Amino acid sequence: MAKLYLKFEQSVLKEFPLSQAGATIGRLPDNAVQVDNLAVSSHHARIYWDNGSFVLEDNGSLNGTFVNNRRVTKTALKDGDEVLIGKHTILFTEQWHEEKAATIAKPGKENSAAVPMLDATVILDTKKAREMIAHAAAGPIATLAPAGAPAPALAKERLGILTVVDGRTDQREYVLSGKLSVIGKSEMASIKLKGWFAPKVAAVINRRDGKYFLAPQDRKLKLNGAEIAGPRELCAGDTIQVGRVQITFAFSD
């Protein structure tokens, strides 16, 4: 029997038997596999039976569907494939083996704790932000140096920084160290807007492969003075505007 395992990091949250009737995946509760996360579209993707195999198809989602770290529009699923949707992983199994079962944590009380919907963006004052960047951007040494040889330089990844130049927010500068950051008035927002008319969720920023992508969630949002309909890659010097709030984007040195 084919099954789907909804996972967050290393914990299995729920398992779903998969029949030839297929399944829908999305944020709303009318989906067979509900993924309650703002990065997931209402009806994000679907799985259906076609020509002797299960096929995964993206429903034009805002943030995309990935299989084994490769973005897909439509693809046949193979046993052991991992589907990344938002911040959750869905493991597809078609040939169930005992040794495979032993490697997957079963859902239960030990891993049923509430899962955070978003990685909180680090909010620091300017001095601490620079220290955070220097610490977080340092990557592992690729190879061990021979005895007596000077240590190789550490690989560094630039982090994005948002600086508020006008308008009301809870901080003036934000270091985007998480994979997902939210701009809005919502309690879950990491860049928190203030004011009666501020939208609950104005936009989400995804960090992927060292790049940052801005996805609008509200018509009030503008990038460099123009409205955008879909995700856009952020470049140094870009200006994000939500109502009276203006925020500039830059990379760490």
Side-chain angles (χ1 to χ4, degrees):
M1 174 187 290
K3 288 187 178 182
L4 300 175
Y5 290 82
L6 178 62
K7 300 171 62 180
F8 182 82
E9 296 179 347
Q10 299 303 314
S11 298
V12 173
L13 305 180
K14 198 170 183 180
E15 65 177 71
F16 304 86
L18 184 62
S19 69
Q20 292 185 6
T24 58
I25 305 169
R27 191 177 71 249
L28 295 183
D30 61 345
N31 290 280
V33 180
Q34 184 188 11
V35 186
D36 190 5
N37 187 288
L38 284 176
V40 179
S41 296
S42 299
H43 299 93
H44 198 104
R46 67 188 182 109
I47 298 175
Y48 59 93
W49 180 259
D50 182 51
N51 243 0
S53 63
F54 285 102
V55 175
L56 171 71
E57 183 174 10
D58 182 82
N59 287 336
S61 64
L62 186 62
N63 292 307
T65 301
F66 298 79
V67 176
N68 302 329
N69 296 320
R70 180 175 60 89
R71 187 164 186 166
V72 299
T73 301
K74 182 168 69 172
T75 187
L77 291 173
K78 303 183 300 296
D79 183 52
D81 278 349
E82 290 193 337
V83 180
L84 180 65
I85 292 182
K87 300 192 67 180
H88 291 70
T89 301
I90 298 174
L91 174 66
F92 170 78
T93 63
E94 195 167 24
Q95 301 167 354
W96 190 245
H97 303 292
E98 290 183 3
E99 58 269 24
K100 184 179 293 182
T103 65
I104 300 178
K106 292 291 185 179
K109 292 183 179 179
E110 286 119 8
N111 51 24
S112 61
V115 177
M117 294 181 67
L118 304 171
D119 269 348
T121 300
V122 178
I123 303 172
L124 301 168
D125 59 50
T126 302
K127 181 180 178 181
K128 289 184 178 179
R130 303 303 176 189
E131 294 174 354
M132 175 69 182
I133 291 167
H135 177 73
I141 297 175
T143 56
L144 294 176
L154 295 177
K156 292 185 178 180
E157 181 181 357
R158 298 182 304 169
L159 294 179
I161 298 176
L162 294 181
T163 302
V164 180
V165 296
D166 194 15
R168 298 175 58 198
T169 56
D170 60 339
Q171 297 287 333
R172 306 309 294 179
E173 188 170 84
Y174 305 84
V175 179
L176 304 179
S177 61
K179 292 183 179 180
L180 185 68
S181 304
V182 174
I183 302 175
K185 188 179 178 181
S186 167
E187 290 299 320
M188 296 179 296
S190 36
I191 297 89
K192 199 174 295 294
L193 307 179
K194 294 186 177 181
W196 286 102
F197 301 104
K200 287 189 175 181
V201 178
V204 295
I205 298 177
N206 290 282
R207 177 187 175 202
R208 187 168 67 248
D209 299 328
K211 299 178 180 180
Y212 292 83
F213 299 88
L214 176 73
Q217 306 290 315
D218 187 274
R219 290 179 297 176
K220 295 181 180 179
L221 181 130
K222 294 182 180 180
L223 178 64
N224 298 325
E227 295 181 1
I228 57 174
R232 296 288 180 87
E233 182 180 350
L234 288 172
C235 301
D238 280 349
T239 299
I240 302 168
Q241 182 172 349
V242 185
R244 297 182 179 179
V245 177
Q246 289 189 3
I247 306 171
T248 59
F249 175 83
F251 284 101
S252 62
D253 297 331

Short mmCIF file of all heavy atoms in Angstrom, two decimals, residues 97-122:
data_model
loop_
_atom_site.label_atom_id
_atom_site.label_comp_id
_atom_site.label_asym_id
_atom_site.label_seq_id
_atom_site.Cartn_x
_atom_site.Cartn_y
_atom_site.Cartn_z
N HIS A 97 8.84 -1.65 3.62
CA HIS A 97 9.73 -2.66 4.15
C HIS A 97 9.94 -2.43 5.64
O HIS A 97 9.90 -1.30 6.11
CB HIS A 97 11.09 -2.60 3.45
CG HIS A 97 11.00 -2.76 1.96
ND1 HIS A 97 10.63 -3.92 1.36
CD2 HIS A 97 11.22 -1.86 0.96
CE1 HIS A 97 10.63 -3.76 0.04
NE2 HIS A 97 10.98 -2.52 -0.22
N GLU A 98 10.21 -3.50 6.37
CA GLU A 98 10.41 -3.37 7.81
C GLU A 98 11.61 -2.48 8.13
O GLU A 98 11.60 -1.69 9.06
CB GLU A 98 10.59 -4.75 8.44
CG GLU A 98 9.32 -5.59 8.44
CD GLU A 98 9.53 -6.92 9.14
OE1 GLU A 98 10.64 -7.12 9.65
OE2 GLU A 98 8.59 -7.73 9.17
N GLU A 99 12.71 -2.65 7.32
CA GLU A 99 13.88 -1.84 7.62
C GLU A 99 13.61 -0.36 7.39
O GLU A 99 14.17 0.50 8.06
CB GLU A 99 15.08 -2.29 6.76
CG GLU A 99 14.85 -2.23 5.25
CD GLU A 99 14.31 -3.52 4.69
OE1 GLU A 99 13.69 -4.28 5.47
OE2 GLU A 99 14.50 -3.78 3.50
N LYS A 100 12.73 -0.04 6.44
CA LYS A 100 12.39 1.37 6.22
C LYS A 100 11.54 1.88 7.37
O LYS A 100 11.70 3.02 7.81
CB LYS A 100 11.63 1.51 4.90
CG LYS A 100 11.33 2.96 4.55
CD LYS A 100 10.59 3.05 3.24
CE LYS A 100 11.49 2.61 2.12
NZ LYS A 100 10.80 2.74 0.81
N ALA A 101 10.65 1.06 7.85
CA ALA A 101 9.80 1.47 8.97
C ALA A 101 10.62 1.83 10.19
O ALA A 101 10.29 2.74 10.95
CB ALA A 101 8.81 0.35 9.32
N ALA A 102 11.73 1.11 10.39
CA ALA A 102 12.56 1.37 11.56
C ALA A 102 13.25 2.72 11.51
O ALA A 102 13.65 3.26 12.53
CB ALA A 102 13.61 0.26 11.70
N THR A 103 13.40 3.28 10.31
CA THR A 103 14.12 4.54 10.17
C THR A 103 13.21 5.75 10.26
O THR A 103 13.67 6.87 10.27
CB THR A 103 14.86 4.60 8.81
OG1 THR A 103 13.88 4.60 7.76
CG2 THR A 103 15.79 3.42 8.65
N ILE A 104 11.90 5.54 10.30
CA ILE A 104 10.96 6.64 10.33
C ILE A 104 10.29 6.70 11.70
O ILE A 104 9.75 5.71 12.18
CB ILE A 104 9.88 6.50 9.24
CG1 ILE A 104 10.55 6.47 7.87
CG2 ILE A 104 8.85 7.60 9.32
CD1 ILE A 104 9.58 6.28 6.73
N ALA A 105 10.33 7.87 12.33
CA ALA A 105 9.70 8.03 13.64
C ALA A 105 8.20 8.00 13.49
O ALA A 105 7.64 8.72 12.68
CB ALA A 105 10.14 9.34 14.28
N LYS A 106 7.55 7.14 14.24
CA LYS A 106 6.10 7.06 14.20
C LYS A 106 5.48 8.24 14.94
O LYS A 106 6.02 8.68 15.95
CB LYS A 106 5.62 5.76 14.85
CG LYS A 106 6.00 4.52 14.05
CD LYS A 106 5.24 4.46 12.75
CE LYS A 106 5.54 3.17 12.00
NZ LYS A 106 4.81 3.09 10.75
N PRO A 107 4.35 8.76 14.46
CA PRO A 107 3.70 9.85 15.20
C PRO A 107 3.22 9.37 16.55
O PRO A 107 2.74 8.26 16.67
CB PRO A 107 2.53 10.24 14.28
CG PRO A 107 2.30 9.06 13.40
CD PRO A 107 3.64 8.38 13.25
N GLY A 108 3.39 10.18 17.54
CA GLY A 108 2.97 9.80 18.88
C GLY A 108 3.15 10.96 19.82
O GLY A 108 3.44 12.07 19.43
N LYS A 109 3.05 10.70 21.11
CA LYS A 109 3.10 11.77 22.09
C LYS A 109 4.47 12.43 22.11
O LYS A 109 4.60 13.60 22.37
CB LYS A 109 2.76 11.23 23.48
CG LYS A 109 1.30 10.80 23.61
CD LYS A 109 0.99 10.36 25.00
CE LYS A 109 -0.47 9.96 25.15
NZ LYS A 109 -0.79 9.51 26.51
N GLU A 110 5.53 11.63 21.84
CA GLU A 110 6.85 12.21 21.95
C GLU A 110 7.10 13.30 20.93
O GLU A 110 7.85 14.20 21.15
CB GLU A 110 7.91 11.11 21.78
CG GLU A 110 7.96 10.26 23.03
CD GLU A 110 7.62 8.85 22.75
OE1 GLU A 110 7.49 8.50 21.58
OE2 GLU A 110 7.48 8.10 23.70
N ASN A 111 6.49 13.19 19.73
CA ASN A 111 6.75 14.20 18.72
C ASN A 111 5.48 14.92 18.29
O ASN A 111 5.40 15.42 17.19
CB ASN A 111 7.45 13.59 17.49
CG ASN A 111 6.73 12.38 16.98
OD1 ASN A 111 5.54 12.22 17.21
ND2 ASN A 111 7.46 11.52 16.28
N SER A 112 4.51 14.96 19.18
CA SER A 112 3.25 15.62 18.84
C SER A 112 3.19 17.05 19.36
O SER A 112 2.15 17.66 19.38
CB SER A 112 2.07 14.83 19.41
OG SER A 112 2.15 14.76 20.82
N ALA A 113 4.34 17.57 19.84
CA ALA A 113 4.35 18.95 20.31
C ALA A 113 4.05 19.90 19.17
O ALA A 113 4.28 19.59 18.01
CB ALA A 113 5.72 19.27 20.92
N ALA A 114 3.54 21.07 19.53
CA ALA A 114 3.18 22.04 18.51
C ALA A 114 4.39 22.42 17.69
O ALA A 114 5.47 22.66 18.23
CB ALA A 114 2.60 23.29 19.18
N VAL A 115 4.22 22.46 16.39
CA VAL A 115 5.30 22.78 15.47
C VAL A 115 5.21 24.26 15.13
O VAL A 115 4.14 24.74 14.75
CB VAL A 115 5.18 21.94 14.18
CG1 VAL A 115 6.26 22.34 13.19
CG2 VAL A 115 5.28 20.47 14.53
N PRO A 116 6.29 25.00 15.24
CA PRO A 116 6.22 26.42 14.86
C PRO A 116 5.95 26.55 13.39
O PRO A 116 6.53 25.85 12.58
CB PRO A 116 7.62 26.94 15.22
CG PRO A 116 8.50 25.73 15.23
CD PRO A 116 7.62 24.60 15.66
N MET A 117 5.05 27.46 13.01
CA MET A 117 4.69 27.64 11.61
C MET A 117 5.79 28.32 10.83
O MET A 117 5.93 28.14 9.65
CB MET A 117 3.40 28.45 11.49
CG MET A 117 2.19 27.73 12.04
SD MET A 117 0.72 28.72 11.83
CE MET A 117 0.56 28.72 10.06
N LEU A 118 6.61 29.16 11.51
CA LEU A 118 7.59 29.95 10.80
C LEU A 118 8.89 29.97 11.58
O LEU A 118 8.90 29.84 12.79
CB LEU A 118 7.10 31.40 10.63
CG LEU A 118 5.77 31.60 9.96
CD1 LEU A 118 5.34 33.06 10.09
CD2 LEU A 118 5.85 31.23 8.49
N ASP A 119 10.02 30.11 10.87
CA ASP A 119 11.28 30.43 11.51
C ASP A 119 11.24 31.90 11.87
O ASP A 119 11.05 32.74 11.00
CB ASP A 119 12.46 30.20 10.55
CG ASP A 119 13.01 28.80 10.66
OD1 ASP A 119 12.63 28.12 11.61
OD2 ASP A 119 13.80 28.41 9.80
N ALA A 120 11.42 32.23 13.14
CA ALA A 120 11.40 33.63 13.53
C ALA A 120 12.64 34.32 12.99
O ALA A 120 13.74 33.82 13.11
CB ALA A 120 11.37 33.75 15.05
N THR A 121 12.47 35.48 12.39
CA THR A 121 13.60 36.27 11.92
C THR A 121 14.29 36.89 13.13
O THR A 121 13.65 37.35 14.06
CB THR A 121 13.10 37.39 11.00
OG1 THR A 121 12.44 36.79 9.89
CG2 THR A 121 14.25 38.24 10.50
N VAL A 122 15.62 36.86 13.12
CA VAL A 122 16.38 37.42 14.22
C VAL A 122 16.24 38.94 14.18
O VAL A 122 16.47 39.56 13.15
CB VAL A 122 17.86 37.03 14.10
CG1 VAL A 122 18.67 37.67 15.22
CG2 VAL A 122 17.99 35.53 14.15
#
